[in-house]
Amino acid sequence: MHSLRLASSAHSHSLFTMSAASASLALPSPLSSFRSDGPLPSRCFLRLNNPSRSRVFMSVSVGSQTVVDDALFADYKPTSAFLFPGQGAQAVGMGKEAQAVPAAAELYKKANNILGFDLLDLCINGPKEKLDSTVISQPAIYVTSLAAVELLRARDGGPQIIDSVDVTCGLSLGEYTALAFAGAFSFEDGLKLVKLRGEAMQEAADAAKSAMVSIIGLDSEKVQQLCDAANQEVDVADKVQIANYLCPGNYAVSGGLKGVEAVEAKAKSFKARMTVRLAVAGAFHTSFMDPAVSRLEAALAATQIKTPRIPVISNVDAQPHADPETIKKILARQVTSPVQWETTVKTLLSKGLKKSYELGPGKVIAGIVKRMDKSAEIENIGA
């Protein structure tokens, strides 16, 4: 059966069903050109923008599928942002502060049940080698970052800050945290996805000798030239590529171990200030992660994802997406695609972002934002 849904998205972006007869909005009828006995077109969108940044859009349900206008957030105008860290931000001792706030402490209890091990103990006590592993660090950062939201909520003025946030994003893994904060999926479903993501990425890394290295002090064009030079000296299986566009002067290169070693050997001749081998399992955000994609696709297909209540910027294309099916496809692609963090931050700043908050362990994101704009206002909320 065909049904029409009108959705309003200001801060809540809540969906509500509305019949054409009871609609109080003066909208031209989207059905006027349709034959009553014919099928509805598979896509029909109607969007209005009002001065308060409320958006009205129309989605069409055909059978059991609802198609949402993926460009719903295309004209977003950010003022306050929540930014969530990715793998590498973990540190022994994180999560300790969160135990003073019941709502934050509760997240760790829920996580223990879902994960089947004591996440809080690993966060607070380590050992570091175990916490640094992909399968532990990803759920640990996800939970601790959302616990930081609860710490902020518990402080004076915290709820007002949370309500004022009109855009969110996260670095790689942090995109899942951002989507959970924006209500695209539940804390529990997000944690299950993150757990599977960590396991699948670890398995993919174990299947081939690969690595990641940060190149410090070169622009992206020079780093690409460095990759090209290294690739001339190794087999196809060991080729490297830029995997993480962090910020000017800091780009991560991923690929086969021999390719990464060639990059390290040539970096000085390209005038790089230094190289830093990253403590990760393998070549994330490259085709080396292909084996993880099918597992992620299956898990995402089985997960209920809703249109986020605020824009969530994708790592794959630095754009916000509203259609749940598109979000699923992008999350599956994310592990094999370069992270467009530099473009994301540049876009937020150029669109007029006033204030941002980094929620979770570490201060990596604050450092990146400040490097791109020294006057940018960013606050760290740890847990």
Side-chain angles (χ1 to χ4, degrees):
M1 178 179 170
H2 303 305
S3 68
L4 282 173
R5 293 199 307 176
L6 256 179
S8 166
S9 66
H11 286 295
S12 65
H13 301 294
S14 58
L15 293 176
F16 59 92
T17 303
M18 191 172 187
S19 71
S22 65
S24 60
L25 290 158
L27 302 178
S29 171
L31 300 178
S32 57
S33 62
F34 300 161
R35 285 177 51 187
S36 61
D37 59 342
L40 282 168
S42 61
R43 296 176 75 87
C44 164
F45 306 122
L46 186 55
R47 219 165 30 134
L48 297 179
N49 293 310
N50 70 19
S52 70
R53 285 182 302 121
S54 265
R55 298 175 184 86
V56 175
F57 74 100
M58 188 165 279
S59 64
V60 169
S61 292
V62 180
S64 61
Q65 272 198 323
T66 301
V67 182
V68 175
D69 180 1
D70 191 54
L72 172 65
F73 300 120
D75 61 348
Y76 75 102
K77 292 175 176 58
T79 58
S80 179
F82 271 9
L83 311 177
F84 295 101
Q87 194 173 343
Q90 70 275 0
V92 173
M94 69 185 200
K96 195 170 186 180
E97 200 181 331
Q99 300 317 298
V101 175
E106 182 63 26
L107 295 181
Y108 289 92
K109 291 174 184 170
K110 287 181 180 177
N112 292 348
N113 293 332
I114 291 167
L115 298 171
F117 58 83
D118 192 335
L119 181 69
L120 180 61
D121 180 58
L122 284 169
C123 285
I124 294 176
N125 303 311
K128 182 181 184 301
E129 299 73 33
K130 194 165 185 182
L131 183 61
D132 283 348
S133 70
T134 299
V135 293
I136 304 294
S137 63
Q138 292 201 23
I141 293 165
Y142 171 86
V143 174
T144 302
S145 297
L146 290 170
V149 175
E150 297 308 319
L151 258 72
L152 175 60
R153 197 189 305 276
R155 84 180 194 192
D156 284 348
Q160 288 81 3
I161 291 172
I162 293 169
D163 287 344
S164 76
V165 171
D166 49 16
V167 67
T168 183
C169 52
L171 187 56
S172 189
L173 154 76
E175 188 171 337
Y176 286 79
T177 321
L179 285 162
F181 170 72
F185 44 64
S186 67
F187 167 80
E188 293 85 352
D189 283 348
L191 181 56
K192 288 171 188 173
L193 286 171
V194 166
K195 176 180 184 285
L196 180 135
R197 181 181 187 267
E199 292 167 352
M201 289 173 75
Q202 182 68 55
E203 282 181 23
D206 291 343
K209 289 182 178 177
S210 63
M212 290 185 77
V213 60
S214 274
I215 314 298
I216 311 297
L218 295 180
D219 62 29
S220 58
E221 196 175 326
K222 280 282 186 191
V223 176
Q224 185 56 57
Q225 290 170 9
L226 174 57
C227 290
D228 293 342
N231 286 338
Q232 288 177 0
E233 297 189 1
V234 298
D235 294 335
V236 174
D238 276 309
K239 285 194 183 297
V240 294
Q241 68 181 66
I242 301 176
N244 197 333
Y245 292 82
L246 269 178
C247 63
N250 189 346
Y251 302 96
V253 168
S254 274
L257 186 56
K258 287 180 180 176
V260 168
E261 288 169 349
V263 165
E264 290 169 332
K266 290 177 177 293
K268 278 279 164 61
S269 69
F270 278 78
K271 304 291 191 290
R273 193 148 55 82
M274 63 189 295
T275 63
V276 180
R277 183 74 71 91
L278 299 180
V280 294
F284 297 163
H285 301 291
T286 70
S287 59
F288 279 84
M289 291 294 110
D290 277 342
V293 173
S294 58
R295 283 188 64 189
L296 264 173
E297 284 175 337
L300 286 161
T303 303
Q304 183 187 8
I305 295 185
K306 296 178 285 187
T307 298
R309 60 188 171 79
I310 57 174
V312 179
I313 313 302
S314 161
N315 281 263
V316 172
D317 60 5
Q319 298 291 331
H321 296 275
D323 175 40
E325 291 308 309
T326 301
I327 292 169
K328 289 180 182 185
K329 287 172 188 169
I330 279 180
L331 286 178
R333 279 177 53 203
Q334 194 222 54
V335 289
T336 59
S337 302
V339 173
Q340 302 294 339
W341 191 252
E342 181 180 355
T343 302
T344 295
V345 175
K346 272 185 183 172
T347 302
L348 289 173
L349 294 171
S350 70
K351 279 177 170 278
L353 182 69
K354 302 285 188 293
K355 172 100 188 245
S356 49
Y357 300 82
E358 177 177 10
L359 294 104
K363 296 183 179 180
V364 172
I365 288 174
I368 291 170
V369 172
K370 283 289 189 183
R371 186 180 179 108
M372 294 176 72
D373 182 355
K374 286 178 184 172
S375 66
E377 195 179 345
I378 183 163
E379 182 181 341
N380 291 91
I381 311 290

